[in-house]
Amino acid sequence: MHTQLYPFSAVVGQEELKLSLLLNAVNPRIGGVVIRGEKGTAKSTTVRALGTLLPEKTVAVGGTGCSPAVVTLPLNATEDMVAGGIDFQRAMKEGRRIFQPGLLAKADKGILYIDEVNLLDDHIVDIVLDAAASGENRVEREGISCVHPASFVLVGTMNPEEGELRPQLLDRFGLCVEAAAESDAEKRAELMVRREAFDADSKGFVMQYREENDRIAKKIADARELLPRVVIPSHLRGFISELCRENNVAGHRADLVIEQAAKAHAAYWGSREVSVDDVTAVAGLALVHRRREAVSPPPPEPSQKQEENQKQNNCENDEQQEQQQPGQPEQEDGTGGRPRQEEQERGDSEGNEQDEEIMAGPDGEQPEDDNVSPVMEQIFDIGKPFTVRKIAYPKDRKMRRGSGRRSRSRVSQKQGRYTKSTVKRRNDDIALDATLRAAAPFQRYRDNDKGMAVVLKDEDIREKIREKRLGNLLIFVVDASGSMGAKGRMVASKGAIMSLLIDAYQKRDKIAMVSFRKDGAVVNLPVTSSVELAANMLREMPVGGRTPFSAGISKGYELARNYLMKAPEAQPIVVLVTDGKANKALGSGKPLEEAFEISGKISREERIRFLVVDTEEPGLVNFGLAAKIAGLLNAEYFKIDDLQADSLLDIVKNATS
Amino acid sequence: MKKQYTYPFSAIVGQEQMKLALILNIINPTLSGVLIRGEKGTAKSTAVRALADILPEIEVIEGLPFNLAHDEEPDIIRECFAVTGEEMPADDGLPLGKQKVKVVELPVGATEDRVVGTLDLEHALKAGEKRIEPGLLASAHRGILYVDEVNLLDDHVVDVLLDSAAMGINTIEREGVSFSHPSRFTLVGTMNPEEGELRPQLLDRFGLCVHIEGIADPDDRVTVMERRFAFEESPEVFCSQWNGESDKLVERIRQARELYPKVVVGRENLLAIANYCLEVGVDGHRGDIIIMKTAKTIAAYDGRAEVEQTDIDQAAMLALPHRIRRQPLQDIVMDIGPVLKNKMHEVVARDR
C-alpha cells in the first residue's frame, strides 16, 4: 500500500465539482469553492486529487524546498501553526527570534484545503479569512512582527448534517457546489471497479490514468497562460448583473466571481473571448449559496428544501384530495379552522391511527397556514424572511458576546482543543511549546547550572487557551399526543420550537429532541449540532394518541444526564413543550400523580435547567397542569401565546446566561 | 512477570456476525472497520482483545514508531526518521522486522495530543531540539484502532479520527510541530446505543456494523459460563486447549488473504449492488464500495474465487444497517435484517 493520491481523471461523475476545482486552478481570483454534500461522495478525494494536476511550487517565506500545491489545514491546527510563530530550535541556537512560517505561508500561490470546514474553530477561521481577503498574512505575535504574501485558493468541504457554515464565511467562497451521490447504477458499478483497482494496486492505477491526467494538467497550464488575454464583452457584464439581480444577491461579490469564473471557463476551453455559454456554465455555481441570503441566513438552502417539501406535500395532496375535499373550501375562505377541528375530534374518537394520518398529512397542516395567527405561520414557512429576520439580526450581535462569555468559562477547564496561548496566568494549564518559544531567544544569556538545555523563568510561562465547541445543549421534549393537535396547538408549538432551533444554530449549541405520545417516548434526534436534521424531524413529527408524560420527561432527563457524564461543564436546558395532561403512566400508578412525582425528583439535579412551554388553550377550563409541573421542576414557565419571536429570545438568553 | 493470557477468539460462544465482521476486516483491512453495537456484557471487548490471538504478521521498518512498510514513499520514510531524531540508514539497508498486527486501544478520555502526537517535551527541554512524540494514530498504522464506547468520545477527538480515517494520513499542525505520516487503520468501535448515537459522519466511516445481544439459548449460556470459568481457573491450560482451533483460523485467514486479490465480481453483481443501494437509499458511495469489498472477502474466506449472490446478501447485512437513511421519528433500528432481505429479493427478482 502506498500513500498515493487517487488520480483526478479517474473520479467518476461529479462534473460540477470537478469543473469548479478546475476553474479555480486556472484562475485563483475566483475565490475558492466550498463543496457541500452528504458523506461518501468523493468530496475530499476529488480535492486532494487536484494536487496531482498542479505543479509543486517554491515556498514564499522561509524559502526551503517545495510545498505541495494543495496544503491541508487540519481541524486541530493551533493558531501558531496556521499563522506562523517563532522557530524554537533556531531561537535556541542563535538567540534571536526567527519567524517560522505557518500553513498560510505554505499555501501561498496554491490551494488551502479545509476538510469539514464547518467544524473549524471560529478564530482559526477568522485568521484564514483575513489572509484570504487581503492576500497577505500579518503576524503580530510572540514578539514577531511580519507580513508575508499569502494568496491562496480556499477550498472547503462540508457535510451539512454536521451543522451549517456561518453565512459570512460562506460568502467568502467564490463558488459553491453540491456533491451528490451518482444515481446511475452503471456509473456506480464503474466507481466500485475503479476504487477496488486503486486499492489493490495504486501505483498501477495511477499509471493507467497518467495520460488523461497529464492532458488535463496541460490544459490548466495553457489556460493559466491564456487567462490574462481573455476579454469579456461589455454586454455580457450587463447579463451578469441582470442574473445577480434576478437572484436577489446582496453585494457585488457574485458579479465579480461570475466574471472571473467565466473568464477561466473560456480560457480552459481555449477561447479568448467570454461567451454567453461560459457565463451560464458558471453562474449557477456562484449564485447557489448567495441567492438565499436575501431570503434567510440560517439553514443555507431552506428555500430549495422547502420547495421539495411542498412538492412532496402537493403529491400527497393529490392523493388525498378525494377524501378531504368537503373540508377545504371553507378553510380557504378564511372562516377559521372549524372543519379542521371537526376532523380532529373525529380522529380523537375514532382512534389514534386515524388521528395520526390527519395530523401528519399536509391537509391537516397547510390550511392552518392561511387562517391562524402569525406565530403559527412560522412553522411551515421556516425559510421565509420574516421569521428569520426578527430572530437573526438582533441575535447576531448577541451571539458574539455570548460566545465570548462561553469561552471564558471554558478556559477554567483543562479540556478541549488547544488553539492558542496567552501570557495571562490562570490555571497552570501550561502551553509548553509556546513557553519554550518564549524562552528560546534568551537561552544564551541565562545561567544554566542544572544541565538542562533550556532554562525557564517565570516570565516565559504561557498558558493554553482552549476552545470547547458547543458547550450548551438544548433538549426539546415535545408532547405529541392527541390533545396537542387540538386547535392548532401543535402548529404553534412547532413554531416555537423552530425559533428556538434557529437560535441554537446561531449559538452553535447542540440539540436533541424527544417526543412522547401513544405508548411511550422516543428520542427523535440524539444529541447533534445539525439544526437541519432537527427541523426536518420537527416538520414531520406526527401527533396523536395518549400522553405518556412521565416517559417523556424521564427520557429528556436521561439524555441530559448522559450528556453531563460526557461533558460535565455543559449546561443542558430541557425545553418541555406540553399541556401537562398526562394520561399514561410508566408504572401502575395514576399518570398525573406519577408525572408530579417524577418532576419533583428530577428537579433535584441542579445542573439541568428546565423550561416549560405551556400549550394549554387559554379561555377554556384551565387545568394549569403544565404550570404545576413547572413549579415542581423549578422551571421557567411560559404560556405559548407569550411566545412571540422577540420574547422568545429573551427566554433563551436568560436561561443561558 | 506472568504472561498475560487473552481469552482465545475461537472460544467465544455464538456472536457469529461479530466474529465474521472482525475476521473479514483482518483479511481485508480496506474494509475500514467494524462498529459493534450492543448491550453491556456481550463479549464485545473480549472479542476485540482476543483478536491479538489470530492477527497475521506484517513487515515493518524497525526503529521507527510508525509501522511503516518498506515500500512506502522514500520521502515519507526519510521524514519519519528525521522527526524522531533517528539516523536514516542508506537506501538499500532499511532495517526490516516482522511484527504482529497491533490492536491499539484509544481510551475515551484520551487527549488530542496523545492521539495525534505532539512535541517531545523532555527532548525539547534537555536537548533544546524539536522532536516528535508520535501518538496513537502512529502506532495504529496498518493495525487496528480500538475505541471502546466510541459514542462517548469527545467531539474534537472524533474530528481528528475522521480526518485521518478519510485519507489515511495523520497531519499534525500543532504545538510547533508540522508533520504528517501515514495512518491507515481498521477502526473498531463498540458502543451501547442507549448512551447516545454516533455522529453520522463517524458512523459512515465504519465499514461494517453489527448488533449483538445476549445469547438466548440456555445451553449456550451455560457453555459461556463454563468456558469463562475454565479460562479464569487456568488460563494457560485453557488457551492451549484452544490452540488447535486458533491455528486453524489463522491458517484460513492466511489463505483468504492470498486468495482475495484473485476474487472476481461479475458486472451483473456490481449492478445488483448499485441498484440495491439506490433502492434502499444510502448516502454517498461508500455503501456500494464496502458491500463489494465485503462480498469479495466473504468469498475468499469461503475459499471461492468468485462472488455469489449469497455473498452479496450477507455483505449487505453487514454494510448497510448504519447507512440506510433514517426516517424521521424512527429510532435507529439495527434489526433491519427482514427489511434488507425483502428489499434485496425484490431488487434481485426485478433485475432478473
Side-chain angles (χ1 to χ4, degrees), chain B residues 22 27 31 34 78 95 105 127 137 146 150 154 160 165 169 181 187-188 198 212 228 232 245 271 274 277 316 323 325:
Chain B
L22 288 169
I27 298 171
L31 286 183
V34 197
R78 200 168 308 125
E105 205 168 328
L137 289 179
Y146 170 48
V150 61
D154 246 351
V160 170
I169 296 167
H181 65 81
L187 189 59
V188 176
L198 279 188
I212 58 174
R228 193 74 225 179
E232 269 157 26
E245 287 293 314
L271 284 178
C277 285
R323 291 205 165 81
R325 287 199 193 104

Side-chain angles (χ1 to χ4, degrees), chain A residues 112-294:
Chain A
L112 184 68
Y113 171 47
I114 311 174
D115 196 10
E116 314 277 355
V117 60
N118 48 340
L119 301 180
L120 195 66
D121 275 322
D122 274 359
H123 80 271
I124 303 273
V125 168
D126 292 340
I127 296 174
V128 173
L129 283 186
D130 258 5
S134 62
E136 54 185 32
N137 176 31
R138 202 168 274 282
V139 185
E140 295 291 349
R141 43 182 290 120
E142 301 186 341
I144 282 183
S145 171
C146 94
V147 182
H148 67 77
S151 71
F152 48 82
V153 174
L154 194 58
V155 177
T157 53
M158 59 176 283
N159 179 353
E161 275 178 299
E162 299 268 336
E164 280 300 341
L165 213 52
R166 284 190 287 170
Q168 220 175 331
L169 180 54
L170 199 58
D171 187 54
R172 290 284 184 190
F173 289 97
L175 308 178
C176 174
V177 178
E178 298 275 340
E182 202 57 63
S183 57
D184 178 39
E186 287 282 346
K187 280 194 176 166
R188 286 180 91 117
E190 178 59 27
L191 195 142
M192 283 185 258
V193 171
R194 290 196 192 173
R195 185 74 224 183
E196 184 68 353
F198 177 75
D199 282 345
D201 174 17
S202 52
K203 266 188 185 159
F205 187 80
V206 169
M207 283 305 288
Q208 209 183 319
Y209 284 88
R210 181 90 169 265
E211 208 173 304
E212 178 63 11
N213 238 29
D214 287 349
R215 201 181 57 80
I216 302 176
K218 175 89 171 41
K219 249 181 130 177
I220 294 176
D222 290 349
R224 277 181 165 179
E225 233 166 75
L226 183 62
L227 185 70
R229 281 170 284 149
V230 174
V231 290
I232 181 162
S234 59
H235 70 274
L236 280 184
R237 287 218 169 95
F239 175 52
I240 291 173
S241 59
E242 186 60 28
L243 273 177
C244 291
R245 222 185 26 228
E246 256 174 38
N247 285 289
N248 281 328
V249 174
H252 295 282
R253 203 190 296 268
D255 303 56
L256 298 174
V257 168
I258 294 176
E259 184 176 329
Q260 293 296 343
K263 277 186 175 174
H265 194 265
Y268 186 69
W269 296 106
S271 162
R272 287 190 188 200
E273 193 180 295
V274 175
S275 71
V276 178
D277 290 345
D278 292 323
V279 175
T280 47
V282 302
L285 300 175
L287 292 174
V288 65
H289 55 309
R290 297 197 169 86
R291 162 171 36 201
R292 113 217 97 69
E293 266 169 27

Side-chain angles (χ1 to χ4, degrees), chain A residues 1-6 14 38-45 48 72-78 80-82 87-89 92-93 100 103 106 115-116 119 158-159 161-162 180-193 195-196 199 203 414-418 432-433 436-437 451-454 456 464 467-470 510 515 517 521-524 526-529 533 536-537 540-542 555 558-559 562 566-567, chain B residues 28-30 69 71-73 76 108 111-113 116 119-131 141-142 151-157 159-160 162-163 166-179 182 184 194-205 260-261 267 269-271 273-275 277-278 282-293 296 322-323 325-332:
Chain A
M1 277 163 81
H2 301 271
T3 320
Q4 291 271 359
L5 288 171
Y6 192 84
Q14 306 296 4
E38 54 192 24
K39 44 205 179 288
T41 42
K43 300 187 294 281
S44 307
T45 310
R48 284 176 219 241
T72 306
L73 192 157
L75 287 181
N76 62 341
T78 49
D80 60 293
M81 295 312 294
V82 176
D87 186 332
F88 157 67
Q89 215 160 307
M92 286 286 298
K93 288 192 182 123
Q100 183 187 28
L103 285 174
K106 277 191 204 157
D115 196 10
E116 314 277 355
L119 301 180
M158 59 176 283
N159 179 353
E161 275 178 299
E162 299 268 336
E182 202 57 63
S183 57
D184 178 39
E186 287 282 346
K187 280 194 176 166
R188 286 180 91 117
E190 178 59 27
L191 195 142
M192 283 185 258
V193 171
R195 185 74 224 183
E196 184 68 353
D199 282 345
K203 266 188 185 159
K414 289 189 187 181
Q415 267 185 343
R417 177 180 288 152
Y418 165 38
L432 263 145
D433 59 318
L436 286 174
R437 284 197 296 272
M452 301 291 270
V454 184
L456 294 182
K464 287 179 177 176
E467 275 216 4
K468 194 145 178 150
R469 277 181 293 126
L470 315 166
K510 292 207 171 194
S515 72
R517 66 190 200 99
V522 277
V523 178
N524 300 131
V527 177
T528 173
S529 44
L533 216 58
N536 287 340
M537 217 55 106
E540 292 166 48
M541 182 181 286
K555 198 76 155 189
E558 210 176 278
L559 266 181
N562 283 340
K566 200 172 113 187
Chain B
N28 182 3
T30 61
D71 57 352
E72 201 77 57
E73 295 286 309
I76 292 172
V108 165
T111 54
E112 202 177 339
D113 51 342
V116 297
L119 186 68
D120 183 341
L121 291 173
E122 205 180 309
H123 194 75
L125 284 173
K126 280 197 178 137
E129 280 167 10
K130 241 191 317 200
R131 201 167 78 174
H141 179 45
R142 299 168 76 202
N151 49 339
L152 301 183
L153 209 57
D154 246 351
D155 244 17
H156 58 274
V157 178
D159 292 344
V160 170
L162 287 178
D163 252 7
M167 281 334 257
I169 296 167
N170 174 35
T171 309
I172 312 174
E173 289 290 349
R174 44 185 290 116
E175 320 207 341
V177 176
S178 173
F179 168 61
R184 287 183 297 268
E194 285 163 20
E195 288 171 27
E197 259 314 315
L198 279 188
R199 278 161 56 183
Q201 198 88 335
L202 182 59
L203 201 57
D204 195 48
R205 288 288 168 199
Y260 179 78
R267 188 86 188 173
N269 281 335
L270 292 179
L271 284 178
I273 296 174
N275 271 324
C277 285
L278 284 168
V282 178
D283 278 349
H285 297 281
R286 208 168 273 125
D288 304 45
I289 293 168
I290 296 289
I291 292 181
M292 177 202 53
K293 282 172 184 279
K296 278 179 75 178
H322 57 308
R323 291 205 165 81
R325 287 199 193 104
R326 272 179 251 144
Q327 296 299 308
L329 265 182
Q330 206 176 41
D331 255 345
I332 302 130

Side-chain angles (χ1 to χ4, degrees), chain B residues 24 27 43 102 174 206 232 238:
Chain B
L24 295 178
I27 298 171
K102 275 192 268 185
R174 44 185 290 116
F206 288 96
E232 269 157 26
F238 187 79

